[in-house]
Each structure stands twice: as structure tokens, then as C-alpha cells.
Amino acid sequence: MRPVALDVQGFTCFREAQPTLDLSALSLFAITGPTGAGKSSVLDAVTFALYGKVSRMGRGSVKDLISHGRDRMSVTLRFTARDRLFVVTRMVRRTSGPGLCQLDERVGDVTTTLASGVHEVDDAIERLVGLDYDAFTQAVVLPQGEFARFLKGAPAQRRQILQELLRLTIYNRMQRLAGERCRDAKRDVEAAERQLEAYADATPEAIAAAEDELARVAVVQPQVVEARDEARRQRVEMEARVHLARDLAARRADLAVTLKEDGAQVARLERIARSRRARQVGVAIEQFADARARLAMRTAEHESAVARLAGSQAVGATTHARFDAARQALADLGPVKARIAVLRGLEGRLRHRDALDDECRLLARDVASLTREVAAKEADGRAQAQRLEDAMSDEARLDASLRAMAYDPIELQACEQGRDLARELRSLRAQGPAVEMKWRQAQEAVRESARIAEAQAAALEDARQAFARAETARVEAVRRLTEAQDAHRAMTLRRHLHAGDACPVCEQTVATVPAVALPPELTSLFDVQNDATEACRTFAERVTAHHDLHVRALAAADGARSQLAAVEHMRAELRDRITSSVATLGADLRHYLPASSASMPEHWLLERLDDLTAIRAQRETRARQHQIAQATRVDAEHRVALATQALEACQRDLATRREQLVARQTAHDQLHAEILAITDAADPRAELARLERRLVDAEGALDAARVEAQRDDTELAAATEAERLATRLCEEARTALATIAERAGQALSALGFASADEAAAALLDDEALETLEAHASGYTRHLAAVTAQVADLEARVGPAAVSEAQRAACIARERDAEQAVTDTLRRAAQLEVQVGGMRARALHASTLHGQLAAARAAHEIHARLSADLKADAFQAWLLREAFERLVAGASTRLLELSGRYTLQWKDDEFVVVDHDNAQEVRAADTLSGGETFLASLALALELSEQVQRAAGAVRLDSLFIDEGFGTLDAAAQDVVASAIESLQVSGRMVGIITHVRELTDRMPACIVIDKRPDGSRWDVRT
């Protein structure tokens, strides 16, 4: 993990949003500032962004880290891990509102969210960084109060941290995985054994017995089906006669119901006759109804016309009174018209004064704008001068940095030439464990296939011996049967004769064949011979099956041996390629490769290539930055000249605008005095508009009253004419109604109707009349049909009827026959399923035997692997070796730092050897504060180096130290500074927090924390 950039806001002493802290170009730097400025808070922000907590928080809440007076804090860290760029953001509110915790990956301009939520992000960070919080704060970030935890911590905690750093926990996972697979294989073995116990009944004898019973059932089945069909035919015939008798009873009941409706039929016919008579006077009835409706309508219209006339007369009187009042009001406005004429004469002077007002406002706005512009030009001139000074300083700094940066291009070229070979070598080493596992599996497969082949050979030999015994028994049975047949030769010949055949002895025609009665012993011998023949056939099939299995087992053994030979060849070839690649890399890098990396040169080459490439990229970046700085300086000089010219022009425009404003203001004041001499109104235009509106309103009221009076006169005339017309139409409607009523009365009396209403009630429309006639004809047809059905059913049923006893007996016979068929079919199906199941179970049992053998082999392999990887043996040895290497390297560093002490690893504890006191061995707790710092620093530096060199370990690309430099004297500080400077050779980022000026001055870069009343600020200085 290597930090790239950091953004904070509201975090501890950093109240305001800070400019992005760019760490991408920093390798070795110090974080300095006064006490309480927030130096440690920079590392706390990195730790909080990754793990959501900091060491000094203790048991307190993370909300305690929010700056005073702020309601939230946010930290965003961009970092690289495993050559990928990630962004983690955490935001916490002081209240219970929602926060934010998110992890993203950036590839170019594309951002992908990997995790969201505290727990998901915490788990993802631990997987990416490869360390939990405790290991991170003891191997990467060494915060205040936590520096000596690895030196003086508990042995179990130290072992856990070293396991995670060196990725030794992979053996724990391998051991757990092997144990799980061992348990799974054991369960498979037990399951296969239990399944085989369940298949013990699937024998050839049981299968043969079930097949014999199935054949017998197949013979009986057609007979019971034929009996069932006959019983069903008889039952169907009887049921048909019963149904006919039931239909006859239903038809007789239907006929009785139909005859009860004769009265309704007579009423329907009478209704049809009256409707047809009413249709003859239908036109007269319709004319009478229309005349009566027309009279009612004319009466309503006359009443409406009378009401309209009365309303029009009342409205006309009111409208004429309103017109007279409007005419008098307009005559009273004579003085207002004179005042309007005077005010209209002032319009020219008012427009002139308004123009002067506009010009004064524009000039005043221009003066204010130019004043601000002059101030802005002056500020811009000062800023351009400062920018020129900064550009000249940056150019000088980059020039010095470019001269100080150098590297060996020949070494870089050699590393680039060997890069592909190094990657291939690393890939070959990674293939080693898999090839070894395949080799062991192939050996186990050879042993297992040989065992199976031997077992199949033994089974084949047993089958052959059983077949030989069965063949011997069959020969003996044939011999005994032949002897018995010789003893009863006449009876034997008689079995094959038929009436009319020639005698095999005398060749005469046999008229009658005597009865055949074989002796019981001869029948028994025939059965024995048949059983022996069947046994021979069964054992012959078994010999064939075992022979096939033995051949397949031999083929499998040959295949396993071929696979083993191929894997052994692959294994030898892999070792040869690794040896050849190591030798080639060693020869190509003989001038640069350290002796400690000669056995695994690929790791050193790839890391060294990354370092040299980074240095070359930094040098190219600095060169581009130097060119940009030169261009920036030239541009700044040009901008300073332009800013001076713009300021002078702006000052000239300001003086001109001020003179124009004074002249326009004087002319405006003179014209305003002239207007006041004519009228004292504050706004003459408003007074004129008010008077004009008053005059216009009066004239408009008069015009509206005149129009309304004319409209009401017109409405009164129209209402009078409408009333006369309505009276005339109403009288005409009464006369027409009387005439039509007289004519209709004569026609209705002739057809037998007392009134028009009675005829209208009898009248039916076409649809109703058709429906009624259809009902009448339908009744007639239904009566005829039911009568015919009753006669037909009486003829078909006849005089004799089926009794319930006869019907019940027939149904019982059919039921018994049906049950017999069902039982036969069910038994046949059961036998077929049983035979098929037994055959499948026998085949599956053979497969289970193979699976059982494979499961036992897997259980043995994983049990042995789980035992070999137990933590109390193999992993303990690995940790012991790691601690011994760590102590050896840390002792050398501590002796260089202190000139007095070395370290030893004894009884799972670090002890100190005092070389100035006769190699006295004492506990680490007896060291002073400065000595403890040196010992802890030596362990931390060596631990970082060990992790960097270990293949497959967590990559520690950064180290931050926040403690202890103030406890050292000047000489010790110089030694410590030299040791820290040597770390950047491997390309790691190293940051220290200190307020010691001498140590800060030796660092190539520095992050300065400035303490202010409104919150701290940071600044990067190189």
C-alpha cells in the first residue's frame, strides 16, 4: 500500500477543507510543525480512511475526531495496492444522520465502486492491503505510544503479525482446507458404505425369481381382461334399459305439465286478436296524442312570453334613469378639461429633464464601475508581480533538482532485457507446487489402479472356478439322466409319438398311443439337468463380466503409469528450466545482482526495474516541469507589462467620466426649477393621467348607458310581439285537438273499445306481437313432440322392467372382474418396476464400489496433508526461522544505530545483549526511552526489509514513524537519519514526524503544518 493523495475536512485540528495533499512524488519526507499543530493527525487521517479508527482514540467514539464547531468530518485517501489505484472515502456526522463509507477503483477515467458500508469496506481494505489494523499500526504506521509494541508485545500477538506480513497464514488456510476435504472424503466413504449395505438384496437369484413371476402374470392377464369385458357388456346393456324406463317417466311428467298450460294458451290467443284490432285505429290514436301534446307545449310558450314582457318593461325604466344621470355627470367636468390642457403643455420640458436624469445615472454608474476596475487593475498588477516572482523561484528550484537527479541507464537496460525472463522464472516457480501435487496424485493413482487390477484378477479366477464346478455338476446330471432314460427307453420314446406316426422300433403305423406316465425319478432328473444348465449359463456370464472388468482395470493401470511418466517428465523439465533461467539471469546481472538475491534473482530484478523506471520517469517529469516553469516565467513578465498599460488607460477614462457627470447635473437642476414654477405637483405626468382617466371614465359611462337604453327598447318590442304570437298559436292548438277527438271516438266504438286509452293499452309493437305469437305456436309444437316421445318410449321399454336385484348382481360381477384385472396389472407393474430397480441397483452397486475406492484414496491423501501442515510443527518451524532472520538483521541495525546493543530471540521474547557490559543479556524492558526507540526502529526497519524480500509476502511500499526522535542526542540522530535515508533505495515511501530541525533539514521534502486560530493548514515543501 502506498498513499497517493489525501483530502480532509473537519478532522481534528483541520477544520476547513484542505488543499489536496499530493504524496505521489514524495519518497522520503518529514512532517513538521509546532506542538499541537496536527502532525500526527496526518497519519491518523490515513489510518482512519483505511480502517475507520485511530490508535489515540482508545475506547472513545470516532465522533470525538470531528473538529470543534463542525457537524461532520470527511477523509478521502487515494492509494495504490497491487499496481491498482483505489479511492476510499469516509464521512461521519456528529448527529445521528447518515454517513458515508465507500471504496472505489479507478482505471483511467472509469470509476467502479467495489464496496459500500462500513463492514464491507473494512473487509475489502484488509484484503487489498493484506494487513488488519493491529498489523498495519506495527509495520506500516507507527503512531505515538505504539512504537515499541512489536518489541515488548505479547508473543502470540507478535506471531500473528509476522504471519500476516509474511503471508504464512496461507498454511493455516491450506491446513483447514485439507482438514475439510479429509472430513468430506470420510463422509463420502461412510455414505458409500451405507449405500452398499442398502443394495445387498440386488442378487442375480432374486432378479431371476422376479422375472419368472412376471412371466406367469403375463399369461394370466389376457384371460382376466376378457372376463372383465364380458361383464362390462352385460352391465351396459342392463343400464341402457334402466335409463329408457327413467326417460319414459320423465316424458310422461312433462306431458302432464304441458297440458296444465291450456288456459294460458287461450289468454295469449285473445291478446293477439285485440292487438290486431287496435292496430286498425293506431293512426287516429297517434294523431290524438300528438294534438294533446302540442296544446300543452303552446300553453307553456304563452305563459313564458307573458313573463318576458313584464320583465322587459321593468328593465327599460331603470336603464333610462341611468342614462340621464351619466349625461349630467359629463357636463359637470368643464374645469378638469382646462387643467388637462395646461399640463399637456409641459410634456417637452419633462422629456428633456428625464433624458438628463438618464445621462446622470449612466455617468454615475460608469464612474463607480471604472473606480472598481482601477482597484482591480491595481490588485491584478500586484498579483502578476507576485506570480512572476514565484515562477522565477520555481524555475531555479526545478533546475537544481534536475541536476541532482541521476541514474545508471546501462543497469536499466540490463534489467529491461532480463524482465521477460524474470517474469517467466517467477511463473515457473509458481507452477512448482501444482506440478508436485500432480506427481503425488499420479503416484497414488498408479498404486490404486494396480490394487484394483489385482482385485479384479482374483474375482475373475473365483468366477472361473465356480463355472468349472457348475460344468462338472451339469455333466454329472446329463450322465444320470441318460442312464435313467436307457432304463425307461420305451416310455421315453412314447413321449414323442402321436396317433398315425410310424413306430421307431418296428416302423408300423401307431393307431393309438398309450398313456405316458414318466416315473418320478426321471422327472426329477430332467429338473436337475435344467437347473445345472441354467447355473452354467449364469456362471459363464459372470466370468465374461469379470473378464471385461479385469481388462478395463489393466488398461486403467497402464494409463496411470503413462500419466505418472508424463508428470515426472514435466517435473524434471520444470526444474531444468528454473535452473537454466537462474543461471542466465545471474550471468546477465553479475555486475549488479547482490549475493543475497543470487538464488532468486527474478524478484530483485523486477523490484530494481520498478525503482529505475520510477527514477527515469521522475527525471523526465522534472524536465517537463522545468520547461513549463520557463514558459510560465516568460508569460508572467508579459502579463506584468499588460497589467500596467491597462491600469493607466482605465485611470484616464475615469477622469473623463467625472467631468461629464458634473456638467449634466448642472443642466438638470436648472430645468427642474422651471417646471416647479408652473406646477407644484411632484409628478405632473401622474396628475395629467389621473385627470384624463376621470374624463374618459365619464364619457365611457355615458356611451354605455346610451347603448344599454337602446338595447332594452329593442327587447321590449320583441317581447310584445312574442306575446301576441303565443296567444294565437295556443288557440289554434285547442281547435285542432277538439276536431281529432271527435273523429277518433267514432272509429274506436266500431271496434269495441270504449276509449282511446283502452285501445292504446291493447296495442302491441311488432316485436312484442311476434314474441307472443311465437310462444303460442311453440306451445303447440311442444305438445305434439312430447306426445310422440311418450309413445316411442313405451314401445321401446316394453311390458317387462329390470329389477334392482338383477341390476345389483350385474354390477357386482363387473366390479369383481375389474378388481381382478386391476390386481393383475398392478402386480405386473410392480414386478416390472422391481426387476428394473433390482437391475439398476445391481449396476449402481458396482459404481459405488469404484466411488468407495476413490473416496478412501482421497481421505488418505488429505489426512496426511492436514497432519503435515499443523501449526505446532511446520508453521512453528517457519515462524522460528522468520524470527531468527528478523533478529539477525535487526541486531546488525541496532549495533549500527547504538554502537552498543544487539538483539537475541530467546523463549519467544526479544532480549538485549549489552556489548559494553561484558555481553550482558537482559530484558528489553530495561532499556531507556532513547534506547527503546533505537531497538524498536531497528526491528521496524528490518521487518520492512524482510517483508520486501520475502516472496509472496505483503508488499510494504510505505513506512511512517511518529515518535522518539527528540529523545536522541545529535550523534544518534545523525545515525538514525542515515538509516532512514537508506530505505528509499528500494523505492518505498518513508515519512517521519518530528520537530527536530536538524533531522527535518536532512529530508529532501517536508510537509509543514501551520497552526492557526481558525484551524491548521498544511503545505508541501521540497
Side-chain angles (χ1 to χ4, degrees):
M1 192 284 299
R2 185 186 184 102
V4 176
L6 178 66
D7 293 282
V8 301
Q9 182 177 6
F11 184 81
T12 62
C13 56
F14 299 105
R15 296 181 61 190
E16 304 298 334
Q18 302 292 308
T20 300
L21 182 58
D22 188 1
L23 303 172
S24 59
L26 300 183
S27 179
L28 178 61
F29 61 94
I31 304 176
T32 185
T35 302
K39 301 185 295 296
S40 299
S41 295
V42 177
L43 299 187
D44 288 343
V46 174
T47 307
F48 174 77
L50 292 173
Y51 296 96
K53 54 186 175 180
V54 298
S55 58
R56 60 176 172 171
M57 188 173 63
R59 295 186 178 181
S61 172
V62 294
K63 296 180 180 179
D64 297 337
L65 301 175
I66 301 176
S67 301
H68 180 70
R70 293 290 182 267
D71 65 339
R72 71 183 69 182
M73 68 174 178
S74 64
V75 179
T76 299
L77 175 67
R78 291 190 291 278
F79 66 96
T80 59
R82 303 179 183 179
D83 298 327
R84 298 157 63 189
L85 178 62
F86 301 93
V87 180
V88 59
T89 300
R90 294 182 189 263
M91 190 272 285
V92 179
R93 298 179 183 272
R94 191 181 297 276
T95 61
S96 59
L100 175 65
C101 188
Q102 183 170 313
L103 175 65
D104 301 326
E105 180 180 3
R106 289 186 181 176
V107 180
D109 296 332
V110 179
T111 300
T112 304
T113 300
L114 301 181
S116 180
V118 175
H119 297 296
E120 292 79 2
V121 171
D122 290 346
D123 294 341
I125 288 293
E126 286 194 14
R127 290 194 302 270
L128 291 174
V129 177
L131 303 172
D132 62 7
Y133 171 76
D134 291 332
F136 186 79
T137 55
Q138 295 192 45
V140 178
V141 175
L142 307 180
Q144 289 182 353
E146 304 290 331
F147 198 72
R149 282 178 59 194
F150 191 77
L151 176 65
K152 300 179 180 180
Q157 188 179 20
R158 280 196 296 262
R159 286 195 298 270
Q160 181 65 28
I161 293 172
L162 198 59
Q163 280 182 331
E164 292 184 0
L165 291 176
L166 297 179
R167 295 285 175 89
L168 300 182
T169 53
I170 189 175
Y171 297 107
N172 284 332
R173 294 195 295 273
M174 290 175 60
Q175 196 272 336
R176 287 195 300 270
L177 181 59
E180 293 174 358
R181 293 186 177 178
C182 177
R183 290 189 292 272
D184 293 342
K186 184 177 180 180
R187 286 193 294 269
D188 292 342
V189 170
E190 294 173 352
E193 291 175 345
R194 288 193 300 271
Q195 290 179 352
L196 285 174
E197 292 175 358
Y199 289 101
D201 59 337
T203 62
E205 293 78 8
I207 295 173
E211 289 175 345
D212 292 341
E213 184 177 359
L214 178 60
R216 290 192 297 272
V217 171
V219 172
V220 175
Q221 181 176 343
Q223 301 172 0
V224 296
V225 170
E226 183 179 358
R228 188 272 316 272
D229 293 342
E230 177 62 23
R232 180 177 297 172
R233 186 190 61 76
Q234 295 176 1
R235 192 264 307 166
V236 169
E237 181 179 350
M238 187 171 293
E239 288 289 344
R241 294 179 63 189
V242 171
H243 289 162
L244 288 175
R246 291 175 181 173
D247 289 344
L248 176 60
R251 296 285 77 78
R252 286 173 176 171
D254 191 8
L255 178 61
V257 171
T258 302
L259 293 174
K260 291 179 181 179
E261 294 183 0
D262 282 345
Q265 176 70 0
V266 172
R268 279 195 293 269
L269 294 175
E270 178 62 24
R271 181 73 183 278
I272 292 170
R274 285 177 59 83
S275 177
R276 292 190 180 279
R277 290 198 306 273
R279 282 175 174 267
Q280 296 177 12
V281 292
V283 175
I285 295 172
E286 291 178 358
Q287 290 176 353
F288 178 77
D290 291 342
R292 186 164 53 186
R294 190 178 303 108
L295 175 61
M297 180 184 67
R298 297 304 183 191
T299 302
E301 290 176 352
H302 179 263
E303 294 174 353
S304 175
V306 171
R308 177 184 175 188
L309 177 60
S312 299
Q313 291 172 349
V315 171
T318 303
T319 303
H320 280 284
R322 191 181 299 116
F323 173 70
D324 295 337
R327 185 167 50 193
Q328 182 61 38
L330 180 61
D332 295 338
L333 292 179
V336 173
K337 293 179 179 180
R339 182 62 177 171
I340 288 174
V342 173
L343 292 175
R344 286 175 176 173
L346 290 177
E347 181 60 29
R349 295 179 182 180
L350 290 173
R351 285 198 297 269
H352 189 195
R353 188 187 66 176
D354 293 343
L356 291 175
D357 278 338
D358 294 339
E359 290 182 7
C360 288
R361 281 195 298 271
L362 291 174
L363 289 172
R365 188 162 58 248
D366 290 344
V367 168
S369 176
L370 288 172
T371 303
R372 291 192 299 271
E373 187 174 356
V374 167
K377 297 292 185 184
E378 292 175 349
D380 183 60
R382 292 191 296 271
Q384 295 298 339
Q386 181 62 38
R387 191 175 294 111
L388 175 59
E389 183 179 352
D390 294 342
M392 295 174 66
S393 176
D394 290 343
E395 182 181 6
R397 177 180 57 80
L398 291 172
D399 185 62
S401 176
L402 187 60
R403 289 195 300 271
M405 188 177 298
Y407 69 96
D408 186 359
I410 299 177
E411 182 182 2
L412 174 60
Q413 181 180 4
C415 291
E416 288 178 342
Q417 292 175 351
R419 174 174 51 197
D420 294 340
L421 184 58
R423 290 175 177 172
E424 181 182 358
L425 178 56
R426 184 172 59 183
S427 175
L428 292 174
R429 292 187 190 276
Q431 297 173 12
V435 172
E436 290 295 326
M437 180 61 72
K438 289 183 179 179
W439 178 67
R440 288 193 294 270
Q441 292 175 349
Q443 287 184 323
E444 183 62 27
V446 168
R447 289 193 293 270
E448 180 63 19
S449 60
R451 185 189 63 76
I452 294 173
E454 292 175 357
Q456 293 298 337
L460 176 60
E461 182 61 28
D462 293 341
R464 286 173 175 170
Q465 293 177 1
F467 174 73
R469 290 192 297 271
E471 180 65 20
T472 302
R474 187 188 66 80
V475 171
E476 178 63 21
V478 170
R479 184 188 61 79
R480 293 175 58 193
L481 177 62
T482 302
E483 293 176 353
Q485 287 178 337
D486 292 342
H488 302 83
R489 177 60 61 184
M491 188 64 67
T492 303
L493 293 176
R494 191 182 303 167
R495 290 180 59 199
H496 303 288
L497 286 178
H498 298 84
D501 293 343
C503 176
V505 177
C506 63
E507 297 181 354
Q508 296 181 2
T509 301
V510 179
T512 302
V513 179
V516 178
L518 292 177
E521 62 272 14
L522 190 59
T523 304
S524 176
L525 289 175
F526 273 115
D527 293 339
V528 170
Q529 182 197 16
N530 293 334
D531 292 342
T533 302
E534 181 64 23
C536 286
R537 184 185 61 79
T538 301
F539 282 116
E541 292 176 353
R542 191 173 301 172
V543 168
T544 302
H546 281 293
H547 180 268
D548 294 340
L549 291 176
H550 182 246
V551 171
R552 285 197 293 270
L554 292 177
D558 293 339
R561 285 191 293 270
S562 301
Q563 182 67 22
L564 177 60
V567 173
E568 288 177 344
H569 176 72
M570 182 192 306
R571 183 181 178 217
E573 184 180 1
L574 180 63
R575 289 181 177 178
D576 293 341
R577 291 176 63 187
I578 291 175
T579 303
S580 174
S581 299
V582 169
T584 302
L585 284 178
D588 294 342
L589 302 174
R590 58 184 178 277
H591 299 298
Y592 312 105
L593 183 65
S596 59
S597 302
S599 61
M600 301 184 74
E602 69 277 9
H603 296 291
W604 177 90
L605 184 145
L606 294 175
E607 292 176 0
R608 183 58 178 164
L609 179 60
D610 291 341
D611 297 339
L612 294 176
T613 304
I615 293 173
R616 181 177 64 182
Q618 290 176 1
R619 180 175 176 82
E620 294 173 352
T621 301
R622 292 297 172 83
R624 289 193 297 271
Q625 292 174 350
H626 184 264
Q627 295 175 355
I628 294 171
Q630 288 178 337
T632 303
R633 175 182 56 77
V634 174
D635 181 68
E637 292 174 348
H638 179 64
R639 289 178 180 273
V640 168
L642 292 177
T644 302
Q645 295 175 3
L647 176 61
E648 293 174 353
C650 191
Q651 288 173 343
R652 289 193 298 270
D653 290 343
L654 177 60
T656 302
R657 291 294 188 276
R658 284 175 176 171
E659 293 174 358
Q660 294 174 353
L661 177 60
V662 172
R664 296 296 188 277
Q665 189 65 45
T666 301
H668 176 271
D669 294 341
Q670 292 174 357
L671 186 58
H672 184 66
E674 294 175 1
I675 293 173
L676 289 177
I678 298 173
T679 179
D680 57 352
D683 188 358
R685 286 195 182 91
E687 182 183 4
L688 175 61
R690 179 176 57 78
L691 294 176
E692 288 177 343
R693 283 196 303 273
R694 183 177 175 187
L695 180 61
V696 171
D697 290 343
E699 293 174 348
L702 177 61
D703 294 339
R706 182 183 296 110
V707 171
E708 189 174 357
Q710 294 173 354
R711 186 188 66 233
D712 291 341
D713 292 342
T714 303
E715 174 62 22
L716 177 61
T720 302
E721 180 64 25
E723 190 275 335
R724 287 197 296 269
L725 179 61
T727 301
R728 181 174 59 80
L729 292 177
C730 185
E731 291 298 330
E732 292 176 355
R734 285 193 183 96
T735 303
L737 177 62
T739 303
I740 293 173
E742 182 179 0
R743 289 198 303 267
Q746 296 173 358
L748 290 172
S749 176
L751 293 174
F753 294 106
S755 64
D757 293 336
E758 182 182 353
L763 184 64
L764 297 175
D765 58 16
D766 294 340
E767 182 178 359
L769 182 60
E770 290 177 359
T771 301
L772 196 60
E773 290 176 344
H775 285 172
S777 62
Y779 172 79
T780 303
R781 289 192 301 272
H782 180 67
L783 178 61
V786 171
T787 303
Q789 289 176 359
V790 169
D792 179 66
L793 288 174
E794 287 176 346
R796 292 172 62 186
V797 170
V802 178
S803 65
E804 284 297 326
Q806 291 174 338
R807 181 171 175 270
C810 185
I811 292 174
R813 286 195 301 273
E814 182 190 11
R815 186 186 303 112
D816 294 341
E818 186 70 35
Q819 184 64 40
V821 171
T822 301
D823 293 341
T824 303
L825 293 177
R826 182 185 297 112
R827 183 56 182 165
Q830 291 175 351
L831 289 173
E832 289 177 356
V833 173
Q834 181 179 355
V835 170
M838 293 175 69
R839 289 173 178 171
R841 286 157 61 84
L843 180 62
H844 189 54
S846 176
T847 304
L848 285 175
H849 280 293
Q851 294 177 355
L852 177 62
R856 285 172 176 169
H859 176 264
E860 181 181 354
I861 292 174
H862 290 106
R864 184 166 61 250
L865 182 61
S866 176
D868 291 343
L869 292 176
K870 283 185 178 179
D872 56 356
F874 180 68
Q875 296 181 51
W877 175 79
L878 289 176
L879 278 176
R880 185 167 59 254
E881 288 292 318
F883 272 112
E884 289 176 357
R885 290 195 302 270
L886 176 62
V887 169
S891 293
T892 303
R893 291 182 181 272
L894 180 58
L895 187 60
E896 293 175 354
L897 294 173
S898 65
R900 176 178 178 180
Y901 297 107
T902 57
L903 293 173
Q904 287 185 359
W905 177 249
K906 187 176 182 181
D907 297 333
D908 286 345
E909 294 288 348
F910 290 112
V911 297
V912 180
V913 179
D914 188 352
H915 293 278
D916 287 355
N917 195 15
Q919 281 79 36
E920 178 187 6
V921 178
R922 50 194 177 96
D925 294 338
T926 61
L927 295 175
S928 65
E931 292 170 343
T932 299
F933 171 75
L934 293 177
S936 301
L937 179 62
L939 277 173
L941 298 182
E942 183 60 26
L943 180 61
S944 180
E945 288 292 335
Q946 292 279 357
V947 171
Q948 291 295 100
R949 290 196 298 265
V954 177
R955 184 176 178 85
L956 301 181
D957 292 327
S958 53
L959 178 65
F960 303 96
I961 304 173
D962 183 12
E963 188 171 353
F965 297 104
T967 62
L968 306 177
D969 55 24
Q973 289 177 2
D974 184 69
V975 174
V976 169
S978 299
I980 293 176
E981 288 173 347
S982 66
L983 294 177
Q984 65 175 334
V985 175
S986 60
R988 277 170 292 173
M989 173 187 289
V990 180
I992 63 173
I993 294 181
T994 181
H995 57 270
V996 179
R997 180 61 179 273
E998 292 77 6
L999 190 58
T1000 302
D1001 291 342
R1002 294 191 57 171
M1003 299 294 105
C1006 182
I1007 300 175
V1008 180
I1009 309 299
D1010 185 14
K1011 185 177 182 181
R1012 300 181 183 179
D1014 60 343
S1016 298
R1017 298 286 189 276
W1018 60 39
D1019 183 32
V1020 180
R1021 300 177 184 175
T1022 56

